[in-house]
Amino acid sequence: MAREGGGQDPARRHGTWHGTSGTAARRGHHAPRPAAAPNTGDHAPVAAGGDSAPRSPRATAQADQAAREAEQANQADPAHQGDHSHQAEHAHQGNHSLQAEHAPHTGQAGQAQHNGQAGQPQHTGRPGQSARQDGQSPSDPPPGHKNRQHHRHAATPWPEARAIAARAARAVPPPIPVPVPLDAALGLVLAAPLTALTDLPSFDSSAMDGWAVAGPGPWDVCADGILAGHEVPEQLADGEAIRIATGARVPGDATAVVRSEHGRLDDKGRLHAQREVVPGQDIRPRGQECRTGDQLLPPGTLVTPAVLGLAAAAGYDELSTVPRPRVEVLVLGDELLTEGRPRDGLIRDALGPMLPPWLRALGAEVVAARRLGDDAEALYTAITTSDADLILTTGGTAAGPVDHVHPTLSRLGAELLVNGVKVRPGHPMLLARIRENQHLVGLPGNPLAAVSGLLTLAEPLLRLLAGQGTPEPYTVPVRDAVHGHPSDTRLVPVVVRDDRAVPLHYYGPAMLRGIAGADGLAVVPPGGAQPGQHLEILDLPWALSGIGVCFT
Ligand SMILES: Nc1nc2c(c(=O)[nH]1)N[C@H]1C(S)=C(S)[C@@H](COP(=O)(O)OP(=O)(O)OC[C@H]3O[C@@H](n4cnc5c(N)ncnc54)[C@H](O)[C@@H]3O)O[C@H]1N2
Ligand code: MOO
């Protein structure tokens, strides 16, 4: 809940970010307080019990524990499931695992929205209410229209919103490729094909330790041996052998390599093969893997450790890469603290620490992360002076008195490509084109709603700007029934265990507890999902590869 006035501006109190806010205006649109405990009210939509299922390799120990603890907590404290201010209306509060067959509850949309709970479909069963929740009006222009009435709009369906974000990136003129040394190229994308600069192997080489032999045995063994990296050995005459190490150049006229364990020296020092010797055996011929000029990898390939290895083997010192899209993060809100415990109605900024590394994991370079408070002028100046490819704002997307994003976009004459999305949480998210090569994604302030906006709008845009293309969507059967919103998509944190998606609790728009232990977000279509139904999973960048690899 935003602070409602008074008090020192926290953006001024903490120096690491550039707080430019000095405004007396405070956000007041969340003014009504919950009647009882300030619980954020997040009903578990699923029966997420039973932690005994065998783990999928994808589920981290942390995720496992988070799921277990979430379930235990839910069982111990059913009250946490709901917004206390709604408790009287919600007879199912004590049921920690809402079943699919529960009748939808009558909507408390207005009240829920005041509490930042508009993304709780289980509070809002009536399809007829969704338009009101979305702030839709049938007379509004469609998304993509230049719209100076920024506060009234038609929300875009979730799949279409992602497609619009991808299209927006494709419309940006392609950036100039940048040559990058190998040791700085991890995580970038190849701007040009990786073409072999050499034959591989570049010489005939031994695949084994043993003897290079010429002609049929037994062989007289030369005094010297050949090690990897040594001079070109002399020619072997028929009936001769020479000791050779794996990777060493095979002498001209050698017909095979006899492995050390397959050869025996007699008392005259002659080599006898103990197995049949097939011509060419254990010799890696020059060019076996590639010839100079062969395309090894196409443009658009993500530079992984293996790609770095291949590029080095093929003779590269640097790679031509797509420059990382440059992102500037603007965190709005006077109520945010950067250290210590929440106090006096102020809360910790959860998005400042979360977004930059997440953006890097998506292939972006974070050029700045700034806290602006709730200052319309500071926001306007920050946007007009930014040269980032993508500006990411957090908070201020709704229609409260200090929600400055829409008015500022209007003032800038920005083109709204997406103005609200039919997704829970996160429906006030937006995408605007500021200039031909500059976009702005407005993430809602509620932290999980911000994650939803990040994955819905920023990720498709960034992946394409980074040259990565769009990953193939994949689905996993969901273990439990998941309640859906009547008309909107829902994104629900899940762990994947035993090849099934297990929905987690604590998925309310203001909560990060679920997502922090999750492997991904399940895409729940309007109307919900039945057990066993396949749901698309949006991966979290670290869930598969671990922290060390992807945050370059
Ligand atoms: N009248 C209406 N009010 C609201 C609606 C609505 O449809 N009609 N939608 C609600 C929904 S849903 C969301 S989500 C929020 C989006 O609001 P804003 O983008 O303007 O976000 P704020 O008001 O600035 O903040 C919302 C909430 O999140 C907290 N917050 C903000 N920034 C951070 C941060 N960096 N770290 C942690 N928490 C943050 C903020 O204190 C508020 O509690 O609007 C609803 N209202
Ligand atoms: O539910 Mo709001 O949609 O929290 O983003």
Side-chain angles (χ1 to χ4, degrees):
M1 183 176 293
R3 193 152 55 117
E4 292 167 26
Q8 192 188 349
D9 181 351
R12 289 190 165 172
R13 284 195 293 254
H14 302 289
T16 45
W17 290 52
H18 310 287
T20 57
S21 169
T23 180
R26 304 295 181 204
R27 274 185 257 170
H29 66 280
H30 296 293
R33 283 168 172 269
N39 194 305
T40 48
D42 296 279
H43 293 263
V46 293
D51 267 305
S52 55
R55 295 177 55 81
S56 132
R58 300 182 61 235
T60 61
Q62 191 187 2
D64 209 18
Q65 190 193 346
R68 195 160 40 242
E69 287 174 2
E71 288 161 29
Q72 282 164 1
N74 289 344
Q75 284 154 16
D77 177 22
H80 85 278
Q81 304 256 354
D83 186 324
H84 289 213
S85 64
H86 299 162
Q87 222 156 18
E89 292 90 34
H90 293 277
H92 65 275
Q93 293 278 332
N95 185 340
H96 73 277
S97 55
L98 298 183
Q99 302 301 319
E101 63 270 21
H102 273 231
H105 294 269
T106 54
Q108 301 297 323
Q111 191 177 0
Q113 286 173 352
H114 277 304
N115 287 304
Q117 299 305 315
Q120 294 301 301
Q122 60 280 11
H123 287 269
T124 59
R126 289 182 189 152
Q129 291 177 332
S130 59
R132 179 158 62 98
Q133 284 176 302
D134 288 339
Q136 287 176 346
S137 152
S139 60
D140 286 342
H145 275 226
K146 205 154 192 165
N147 178 10
R148 291 181 183 268
Q149 272 294 115
H150 284 280
H151 295 268
R152 295 164 60 75
H153 57 85
T156 306
W158 184 80
E160 198 183 321
R162 299 195 94 214
I164 291 172
R167 271 207 304 280
R170 286 194 194 98
V172 172
I176 297 165
V178 185
V180 173
L182 289 191
D183 62 4
L186 183 68
L188 292 169
V189 169
L190 296 181
L194 188 77
T195 303
L197 301 179
T198 174
D199 295 347
L200 280 181
S202 50
F203 49 86
D204 295 341
S205 61
S206 175
M208 295 288 161
D209 297 319
W211 295 267
V213 300
W219 302 273
D220 292 326
V221 179
C222 306
D224 296 331
I226 316 163
L227 295 176
H230 278 204
E231 290 294 306
V232 186
E234 290 176 8
Q235 300 283 317
L236 281 183
D238 252 17
E240 283 184 345
I242 187 167
R243 280 213 71 101
I244 194 164
T246 304
R249 279 190 279 196
V250 172
D253 295 338
T255 50
V257 167
V258 174
R259 299 180 189 190
S260 28
E261 58 272 33
H262 297 158
R264 181 184 56 82
L265 294 176
D266 64 21
D267 48 8
K268 296 191 186 103
R270 288 166 62 83
L271 172 68
H272 298 261
Q274 295 174 300
R275 304 236 171 132
E276 186 196 358
V277 177
V278 178
Q281 76 178 26
D282 287 332
I283 294 176
R284 290 188 186 131
R286 173 178 180 155
Q288 184 184 47
E289 186 175 358
C290 65
R291 290 285 180 192
T292 303
D294 283 356
Q295 178 176 305
L296 304 175
L297 294 169
T301 301
L302 182 68
V303 178
T304 60
V307 170
L308 290 175
L310 174 64
Y316 282 86
D317 300 317
E318 55 185 32
L319 292 172
S320 174
T321 60
V322 179
R324 291 182 188 278
R326 302 169 77 250
V327 183
E328 181 158 359
V329 180
L330 304 177
V331 174
L332 314 182
D334 281 350
E335 73 277 27
L336 303 175
L337 297 167
T338 54
E339 59 186 23
R341 298 179 194 185
R343 57 182 162 78
D344 305 328
L346 306 178
I347 60 166
R348 280 293 295 274
D349 168 21
L351 300 177
M354 181 174 81
L355 291 175
W358 200 318
L359 289 161
R360 283 184 208 110
L362 295 177
E365 175 190 352
V366 180
V367 291
R370 309 168 60 201
R371 294 183 59 235
L372 298 183
D374 286 318
D375 182 337
E377 204 54 40
L379 178 61
Y380 180 82
T381 306
I383 295 173
T384 48
T385 56
S386 174
D387 65 353
D389 302 305
L390 173 65
I391 299 168
L392 207 63
T393 59
T394 71
T397 59
V402 291
D403 289 333
H404 297 307
V405 176
H406 281 99
T408 304
L409 291 174
S410 279
R411 185 178 164 195
L412 285 161
E415 185 183 359
L416 274 173
L417 305 177
V418 175
N419 190 9
V421 175
K422 289 166 74 64
V423 65
R424 306 295 161 137
H427 75 272
M429 68 179 73
L430 60 89
L431 168 64
R433 192 186 344 252
I434 310 285
R435 296 196 289 263
E436 186 195 26
N437 57 355
Q438 186 180 58
H439 290 83
L440 181 145
V441 167
L443 302 178
N446 278 323
L448 192 61
V451 170
S452 168
L454 183 71
L455 298 189
T456 300
L457 297 176
E459 175 167 358
L461 187 92
L462 284 174
R463 282 205 187 283
L464 284 163
L465 288 180
Q468 290 181 18
T470 310
E472 277 297 303
Y474 73 96
T475 64
V476 171
V478 67
R479 194 185 73 181
D480 314 302
V482 191
H483 275 267
H485 187 274
S487 58
D488 292 1
T489 300
R490 289 191 57 222
L491 301 181
V492 176
V494 293
V495 288
V496 179
R497 289 184 194 153
D498 205 17
D499 291 328
R500 285 185 307 168
V502 181
L504 298 172
H505 296 270
Y506 301 107
Y507 61 90
M511 297 181 176
L512 293 173
R513 189 170 166 181
I515 189 82
D519 291 333
L521 285 171
V523 180
V524 180
Q530 297 305 313
Q533 186 172 330
H534 277 256
L535 296 181
E536 182 181 347
I537 304 293
L538 304 179
D539 281 329
L540 305 179
W542 51 88
L544 290 175
S545 52
I547 283 277
V549 175
C550 58
F551 295 87
T552 50

